[in-house]
Amino acid sequence: MSQPLTKPSKPRDRYWRSLDELRQTPEFEAWLHREFPVSASEYPAGVSRRRWLQLMSASIALGGAVGCRYEKEAIAPFVIRPEGRLPGEPHHTTTNIELAGRIYNLLVTGRDGRPLKVEGNDLHPSSGGAHDLFAQACILGLYDPDRKEGVAKREGGKRVDSSWADYEAVAGELSKALAANGGAKLVILSEATRSPSQSRLLAELKSRFPQSTFCFYDATDNGASIEAAKRVTGQSAVPVYELDQAKIVFCLEADLLTDHPQAARQARLWSRRRNPSSAEEMSRLYVAEGRFSPTGTNADSRLALPPSEAPALLAELERRVAALLGGEQHEHGSEEEAFDELHAEMRLERFVDALAHDLVEHKGSSAVVVGERLGADAVAAGLRLNHALGNWQKVVRFYPTVQLPEAVDLKSFVAKLATGEVDTVLVLGGNPVATAPGDIDLAAALEKVPNSIYLGEYDDETAAHCNWLLPLAHPLESWGDVVTFDGYYGVTQPQILPLLDGRSKLQVLAQFVGAPETDPLEIVRAEAARRLGGEISNRKWRTLLHDGFDPQLATAPLDVAFVGDSKPLTEAAPRGAIELSRDAMQVIFHPSPSLYDGRFANNAWLQELSQPLTKVTWENVAVMSPLTAKALDVWQNRLVALRRGDATVELPVYVMPGCADGVIAVAYGHGRTRAGHVGGSEELGAPIAGVSVQPIRLSDAMDLHLGAEARPRSTEVRVSTTQDHWAIDPLGADETEKRSYWMVREGTLQLFEEHPEFVEGIRVEHFENRSLWEEPIEQIMREQPEIPQWGMAMDLNKCIGCSACVIACQSENNVPIVGREQVLMSREMHWLRIDRYFQGDEEFAQVVHQPVACQHCETAPCEQVCPVAATVHTEEGINAMAYNRCIGTRYCANNCPYKVRRFNYFNYQEDYGQGYGIFAYQQNLETANRKLQSLVLNPDVSVRGRGVMEKCTFCIQRVERGRINARKEGGRPIRDGEIRTACQMACPTDAISFGNIMDQTSQVRKQHDDARSYRMLGHLNVKPRNAYLARVRNVHPRLMTRAQRDQLVDFASGGHGGHADGHESVPHGEAQAAEAGHS
Amino acid sequence: MQRFLFPRWVNRLVVLLLVGAAGGVAYASVLFLGITDPNTLNTGYRPEQPVPFSHAIHAGQLKMDCRYCHNTVFDAAHAAVPPTATCINCHSPAQADGTTALAAVRADSPKLKPIHESWETGKSVAWTKVHNLPDFVFFNHAAHVNAGVSCVTCHGRIDKMDVVYQAKNLSMAWCIDCHRNPEPHLRPTEFVTKLDWQPSEDPAVMGQQLKQEKNIRPQTNCAVCHR
């Protein structure tokens, strides 16, 4: 020993209390520095190894003894706590955001100042809070570490960090220089917007730079609706459909309920008329489309129609409606064949005729919706038909659009860039390089411009070609405003200050324009004041922010008159089926149901979502009918090459019965090359998810291309779907068919009206469900009826398969993402899944969606087999999980007949900082490479690690919160509707209800007692607390399928469902019937 | 070939070793169980705090109600440690020119230096958590105090503690004991923060009455705390 040790100034035992203190804390560091002048991490000079070892071992020995306490936690309160803030308690703030072309009226739940969960604003008069999966998932995008942090610019070919101050200086100079010649060298490329403040600033931009060129590019919106509305009304208007006023709805190539800017509101309104038990007449939905869309699955009658024939069908329909309105009458014949037994031409004929009759019979309360895909002419014809039927102002209303400066289309825009006369381009969001059509080389055009400025959230495809990359603030962290499609003005209120130094479009525009006011809060407040006649008091402003809307800030529908022409859309007659030719495939391009136009590619929740109908995750597929596949010589999972001109894309084939023959549907938005760690990035080495179809999606056919070439490829790939597509032998198929009523029960409205007991009657087995013993929960229900018993009901009539509930559950319960490889092994972790069942055959199929979550069985098979009692039943009927007890036997998942239990095969939460062993400590959150993302976790719910089983808990954290709130108010009983699960709140159609089944007046009790209610696999006597309400289709008698007719006959003849000797009482399912269940 | 034979004394040695090992295991387990018993580990835990705040003076002598500082206890899951501003209400520091407010209590005391520093720099005071439950336990104060469980039931006579120590072991068994039999621990809500309150009538009877009145039904299933 060469140096004597000096005595430490603080008593030694203070430092040795825990091993952590030993390792990391500042006191220890300070001590070390005092003792040993060299830094603690180096081997200190001047002290012998022996002495060092003595010191360390002494500390370890002492530390070990007393280090068995939990890690010391510090409490760091505010210095000044904001008034009214309750640390750790949730707070709610409204906001109205514009996202993915839709307007959402939201109420965001936050905790300790950070937003955690998105809900709808129930009190909002426009949508009642209806929203969809994009709104639910956007919270993950807020905490995405791949977002661009801080301003960057390109200097000498390399990306260099910069700052807003730098940019503002440069922009100020540019602005002045450009103004000199009226902005002739300035072009602006932006997404369309419904924000009045943005519109005002853009107008100011135009007035400051009158020679500048604007382009509003939207990958998904071809402007057909607005164009058509202009033609028929003479005004700049947008059509809005009040579907709760419509008894007949006809969608022609329009996915009204999920793929439409007003989808959520439309779904809500439509669902109000889907209750067959209510007094009001149930509506009838007709759909004619090429692909199988979620709207098509909800149709009461659906016609698979190649989109090339859609205009002809519409023209034919117009003719017939006009004839019927004029008093024409005709015979229909005996019509002995059922709808699905007809061949294509006859089917089309009967469909159009029945539809025409229905529309005329219910004129004034019907809606004809023509999809934008068919072009402005067709949409205008649809609006014209609505007018002829007297639907205007009752069902179809027109509201003013939000004005934008005059603009050119993308092609002209790029042409202008190519001239070399442009000096500055300002790109405001939208990632146009990734979403531009294949024949427009926007990237190269941008490269030519000396000053290219991109305001975007990510360092994406567009950012790669621009000089300035400005971080765009997420809608949840921006001030702004929007007007809903039906005229309600609302403020976008930030839930948190910009996390990554982002700024909103309002700020950037205001600064560029040199506006006197650049604070977005003030800009928006000024707009609100303007709309209220000049000023807005503090009280009114705060009320507007608190409520999310103000009735005085609503616009009335426009007073319109029909000024369109009466020229028929086309003289051609519609054909029921087209000739199948591999050189003339009709390709429908539709936005990805999970990624939209690709902007959500880095959102892990959306990537891993099982897309409605195909149930594909992480990629896109080419969907076609079995006949088409055969004609192309491909089959499921084989690659097919689609070619247009010189460009070819290869996609895996997905065979789906019910698609029109000769039609291939592909989703765009996948296959991005610079999305981020999740979505794929060549630069970062992250695998690309899916295939980009932009090469064959050219500007003249962005949504529909007739005449694509398709060729088979010899490669077979595995497609990561969550509901498998097995081929099954005929005997298996038969047996499955017979038992399909265990899962899904369906009937027609006529059947329900004549035989309301048909749902129970469908059962074939005759035994009575009896138990040998009574479960404790049953005793509790009997002896203590005052204890609330939680139950849920899911209405299959209303579920549209949009999957908002799946994302909501993931958001609320910290459900992890597993990645594509694990999905291939059936290890996806979604607590709530949506099964879809095909009924029919290869040629004619109908679909039912069934959301499945833990059924919370009273006689739970999982509870009985857990060796360590990790899953127990609460006194209130919830099947609960104690994650810490679980040892990972997986017997419970094995025993569950519904296969709703999910096992953490790996530590899927590792990226959030949940670790094991030496990684289990708080400070290791620093090493988690997605530290920002861990802010999205809900602190009310445990984060599960490896080896633990998890499943739906009926949002027990919300149930507890409801109980505690009732306790705070003196122990009052819990009111119905006070506790709502995440899935229930997210559902736009109110398909899910949850509550106390012991309360006879509760919504869920009424649904449990409804004639349509049944239990899935009820004969197993597990007594699930989830009831399903059978699907009832309001199908026109002339359009009933053979199975539907047979059902009527069966029940009319007094038989119930028939006996188990093969007599068909339930709709067919055949070789292509999708199987439920997970292994 | 010769078999390998151990010398005879090895037999006894082996027996002794086994007995020793068994004894060692027994000793180690008793030691382990003893050390990790919540009563050993947790009861009496008295960490040193950055500021020598004395509850005995403030809550005891001065009779300040618990809620003056821990004001969120009836509304929130956490009975939050007060922000520095609450302390500054009485203990405001000297201003730049050296003057102190008339009502400032002991403005120049060295014990208040960390509080004054926090107030001036805007950095939180780092208190050490005394009653630290593991992360997988979700405890809610509001549910308990609104039901009539007093602070003293779980935290002991805080108003007599100069430095706060953990008075009860707060183990799961201890919690479940009360959940199974809450009556002895219930009192009218208005007396929840009165730590020296004694019931006027038989606590069992009063507890039973309160339980009926307020619909108190503490659950004992796993999910009520471990969700």
Side-chain angles (χ1 to χ4, degrees), chain A residues 69 71 73-75 77-79 81 86 89 872 874-876 880 884 939-940 942 956 960 964 967-968 971, chain B residues 41-42 71-72 74-77 83-85 124-125 127 129 132 136 138 140 146 214-215 219-221 223 227:
Chain A
R69 280 197 56 79
E71 205 181 316
E73 256 181 57
I75 303 179
F78 281 104
V79 175
R81 191 192 295 157
L86 292 172
E89 293 295 297
V872 294
T874 70
E875 292 96 336
E876 296 180 347
N884 278 48
D940 259 349
S942 301
I956 193 161
E960 285 301 305
I964 291 167
R967 166 62 50 215
K968 286 201 280 198
Chain B
L41 218 46
N42 301 339
N71 64 320
T72 63
F74 273 79
D75 302 310
T84 315
S124 309
V125 179
W127 303 96
K129 195 164 181 181
N132 195 2
F136 49 81
F138 293 88
N140 190 300
N146 279 293
K214 295 204 219 167
N215 230 341
Q219 296 194 337
T220 48
N221 65 76
R227 46 187 153 87

Side-chain angles (χ1 to χ4, degrees), chain A residues 43 92 165 170 214 219 304 365 459 496 521 574 657 737 769 778 781 805 811 865 871 924 940 1017 1038:
Chain A
Y43 184 70
H92 310 273
V170 172
F214 280 76
S365 55
D459 184 1
I496 192 171
L521 198 172
E737 263 174 69
N769 271 339
E778 294 172 296
M781 286 169 79
C805 54
S811 173
V865 297
T871 178
N924 280 295
D940 259 349
L1017 296 178
R1038 291 176 65 197

Side-chain angles (χ1 to χ4, degrees), chain B residues 14-216:
Chain B
V14 167
V15 171
L16 277 175
L17 281 176
L18 283 173
V19 168
V25 167
Y27 175 70
S29 352
V30 168
L31 207 64
F32 178 76
L33 288 173
I35 291 175
T36 59
D37 182 288
N39 278 320
T40 317
L41 218 46
N42 301 339
T43 327
Y45 175 52
R46 188 210 296 247
E48 192 168 321
Q49 301 289 349
V51 177
F53 174 78
S54 164
H55 279 89
I57 297 175
H58 293 78
Q61 225 180 309
L62 298 174
K63 295 203 188 334
M64 286 168 72
D65 189 278
C66 314
R67 268 169 291 188
Y68 181 78
C69 296
H70 300 283
N71 64 320
T72 63
V73 69
F74 273 79
D75 302 310
H78 300 287
V81 166
T84 315
T86 308
C87 310
I88 297 290
N89 281 341
C90 291
H91 295 286
S92 51
Q95 271 131 30
D97 59 1
T99 55
T100 59
L102 265 172
V105 179
R106 297 204 193 282
D108 46 4
S109 163
K111 295 183 186 174
L112 282 171
K113 229 162 76 55
I115 298 283
H116 292 161
E117 241 174 65
S118 159
W119 181 249
E120 266 138 29
T121 60
K123 281 185 57 162
S124 309
V125 179
W127 303 96
T128 306
K129 195 164 181 181
V130 179
H131 302 86
N132 195 2
L133 294 175
D135 283 342
F136 49 81
V137 175
F138 293 88
F139 176 78
N140 190 300
H141 273 93
H144 290 79
V145 298
N146 279 293
V149 179
S150 168
C151 314
V152 75
T153 314
C154 308
H155 295 291
R157 291 301 302 271
I158 297 264
D159 59 340
K160 290 199 169 144
M161 299 178 192
D162 263 317
V163 180
V164 173
Y165 60 87
Q166 189 170 328
K168 310 284 168 117
N169 66 32
L170 301 186
S171 65
M172 178 169 154
W174 179 84
C175 294
I176 296 249
D177 269 341
C178 180
H179 269 238
R180 285 192 174 139
N181 181 27
E183 288 89 337
H185 306 285
L186 295 175
R187 64 175 73 175
T189 331
E190 41 290 12
F191 298 118
V192 157
T193 54
K194 188 166 159 44
L195 303 185
D196 55 2
W197 179 83
Q198 294 299 329
S200 49
E201 44 171 340
D202 180 11
V205 169
M206 188 192 58
Q208 179 65 18
Q209 200 186 349
L210 283 168
K211 188 161 180 267
Q212 299 279 42
E213 245 171 57
K214 295 204 219 167
N215 230 341
I216 292 172

Side-chain angles (χ1 to χ4, degrees), chain A residues 836-847:
Chain A
R836 56 102 182 89
Y837 295 89
F838 288 107
Q839 284 164 353
D841 56 24
E842 277 189 19
E843 224 253 307
F844 183 92
Q846 296 183 308
V847 167

Side-chain angles (χ1 to χ4, degrees), chain A residues 598-830:
Chain A
R599 66 186 60 199
F600 297 115
N602 211 39
N603 188 317
W605 293 346
L606 288 174
Q607 281 278 14
E608 195 156 291
L609 176 72
S610 316
Q611 295 160 27
L613 279 157
T614 57
K615 298 293 161 216
V616 166
T617 66
W618 291 99
E619 54 194 309
N620 52 345
V621 285
V623 180
M624 60 183 77
S625 69
L627 207 64
T628 317
K630 215 186 299 186
L632 293 177
D633 194 28
V634 290
W635 46 86
Q636 180 75 11
N637 292 348
R638 210 153 228 239
L639 287 183
V640 67
L642 300 172
R643 185 168 76 181
R644 179 168 181 186
D646 285 328
T648 314
V649 294
E650 292 183 1
L651 285 162
V653 169
Y654 192 100
V655 174
M656 186 181 302
C659 289
D661 297 324
V663 173
I664 302 179
V666 297
Y668 55 84
H670 295 261
R672 277 186 54 191
T673 53
R674 273 186 81 119
H677 283 93
V678 173
S681 169
E682 287 163 350
E683 201 175 303
L684 298 169
I688 310 287
V691 174
S692 170
V693 297
Q694 298 301 104
I696 59 167
R697 191 176 171 226
L698 308 186
S699 50
D700 60 349
M702 294 281 285
D703 304 304
L704 177 62
H705 174 49
L706 311 169
E709 293 159 38
R711 297 286 185 275
R713 286 284 180 268
S714 51
T715 329
E716 272 194 36
V717 293
R718 291 178 71 197
V719 175
S720 55
T721 89
T722 60
Q723 199 167 0
D724 280 317
H725 212 89
W726 299 119
I728 192 172
D729 63 280
L731 180 63
D734 248 359
E735 292 300 314
T736 315
E737 263 174 69
K738 281 198 214 128
R739 293 170 176 77
S740 58
Y741 70 88
W742 288 351
M743 304 292 192
V744 177
R745 298 190 192 177
E746 186 184 321
T748 53
L749 186 60
Q750 282 92 320
L751 181 64
F752 184 61
E753 280 173 344
E754 288 169 31
H755 304 276
E757 76 292 351
F758 87 90
V759 177
E760 278 306 302
I762 276 180
R763 280 185 353 174
V764 169
E765 79 272 347
H766 295 279
F767 54 81
E768 200 57 52
N769 271 339
R770 260 193 248 154
S771 288
L772 286 177
W773 60 81
E774 190 181 52
E775 290 285 327
I777 186 70
E778 294 172 296
Q779 188 182 13
I780 291 176
M781 286 169 79
R782 207 167 22 84
E783 293 175 356
Q784 296 173 278
E786 73 279 4
I787 297 184
Q789 297 296 333
W790 305 110
M792 190 179 264
M794 288 172 168
D795 192 345
L796 298 182
N797 234 23
K798 296 199 178 162
C799 178
I800 56 178
C802 70
S803 309
C805 54
V806 177
I807 302 289
C809 174
Q810 195 156 26
S811 173
E812 169 79 12
N813 293 296
N814 307 334
V815 176
I817 290 295
V818 303
R820 185 168 177 271
E821 270 144 41
Q822 294 286 301
V823 174
L824 279 168
M825 288 194 260
S826 302
R827 289 178 178 174
E828 71 280 355
M829 293 300 285
H830 295 123

